[in-house]
């Protein structure tokens, strides 16, 4: 399972570029992994972000991005609540898909992702995720604005081969 949070740091909702969406799909396909979106927003908000990324894509990429299936991990905006509930939500998803925490890769993009990073078998963190996530991560990447999310998504298949599900 690949767990990723692509909520914007400024709280404006989920956002993903067509390149990032394409790389997420390639990583999931390479590992035959389930995608779980960790977010403080609704499934509709995530679907809108995916739709915008597809509109921004070139014609040849649009088909590749169509119908990207995902599970939703709805995180609380209240940090103490999120720290208690994020591991439980991850456990529910793992149980539903017969996966384990150790077979999960998490990509932290914000400080709120720390509870997920601490439970994942393999953890990636972008600079934007803050020092706690960076210290807990197996692999660290530059800020999202500097291409860090794209780098992290490219690294998933090699780092997780044989462990993600």
């Amino acid at each position: 399972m690949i767990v990723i949070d692509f909520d914007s740091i400024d709280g404006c909702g989920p956002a993903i570029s067509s390149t990032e969406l394409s790389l997420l799909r390639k990583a999931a396909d390479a590992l035959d992994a389930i995608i779980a979106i960790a977010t403080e927003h609704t499934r509709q908000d995530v679907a809108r972000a995916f739709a915008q990324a597809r509109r921004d894509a070139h014609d040849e990429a649009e088909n590749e991005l169509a119908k990207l299936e995902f599970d939703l991990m709805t995180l609380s905006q209240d940090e103490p609540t999120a720290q208690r509930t994020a591991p439980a939500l991850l456990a529910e998803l793992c149980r539903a898909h017969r996966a384990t925490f150790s077979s999960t890769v998490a990509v932290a993009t914000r400080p709120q992702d720390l509870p997920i990073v601490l439970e994942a078998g393999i953890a990636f963190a972008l600079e934007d995720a803050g020092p706690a996530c960076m210290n807990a991560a197996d692999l660290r990447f530059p800020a999202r604005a500097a291409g860090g999310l794209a780098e992290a998504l490219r690294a998933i298949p090699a780092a997780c081969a044989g462990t993600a599900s």
Side-chain angles (χ1 to χ4, degrees):
M1 180 179 320
I2 298 171
V3 180
I4 185 167
D5 176 349
F6 58 85
D7 285 355
S8 61
I9 291 181
D10 60 12
C12 291
I16 190 164
S17 72
S18 58
T19 299
E20 292 166 343
L21 186 58
S22 177
L23 291 168
L24 176 59
R25 169 154 226 151
K26 287 176 185 173
D29 288 350
L31 299 172
D32 193 26
I34 295 130
I35 298 169
I37 306 299
T39 183
E40 295 173 355
H41 300 278
T42 67
R43 179 172 285 282
Q44 289 175 314
D45 294 332
V46 173
R48 270 194 293 275
F50 283 176
Q52 182 62 50
R54 284 192 298 272
R55 282 191 296 276
D56 294 344
H58 298 294
D59 290 337
E60 67 273 5
E62 194 165 332
N63 289 335
E64 157 188 328
L65 300 179
K67 294 220 177 192
L68 183 64
E69 298 295 323
F70 65 93
D71 280 314
L72 196 68
M73 256 183 86
T74 305
L75 302 176
S76 171
Q77 293 181 4
D78 174 57
E79 192 169 334
T81 301
Q83 289 195 14
R84 286 190 310 272
T85 59
L89 293 170
L90 182 58
E92 286 177 27
L93 285 174
C94 285
R95 217 176 2 262
H97 293 290
R98 300 184 193 279
T100 63
F101 280 9
S102 64
S103 69
T104 299
V105 59
V107 181
T109 61
R110 303 179 311 137
Q112 294 88 331
D113 299 329
L114 182 61
I116 299 167
V117 166
L118 293 173
E119 299 296 344
I122 298 175
F124 294 0
L126 306 188
E127 266 181 53
D128 306 314
C133 286
M134 292 291 280
N135 288 334
D138 299 301
L139 294 171
R140 296 156 194 83
F141 296 90
R144 190 168 181 185
L149 183 55
E151 284 184 42
L153 293 169
R154 282 186 193 96
I156 288 174
C160 305
T163 62
S165 65

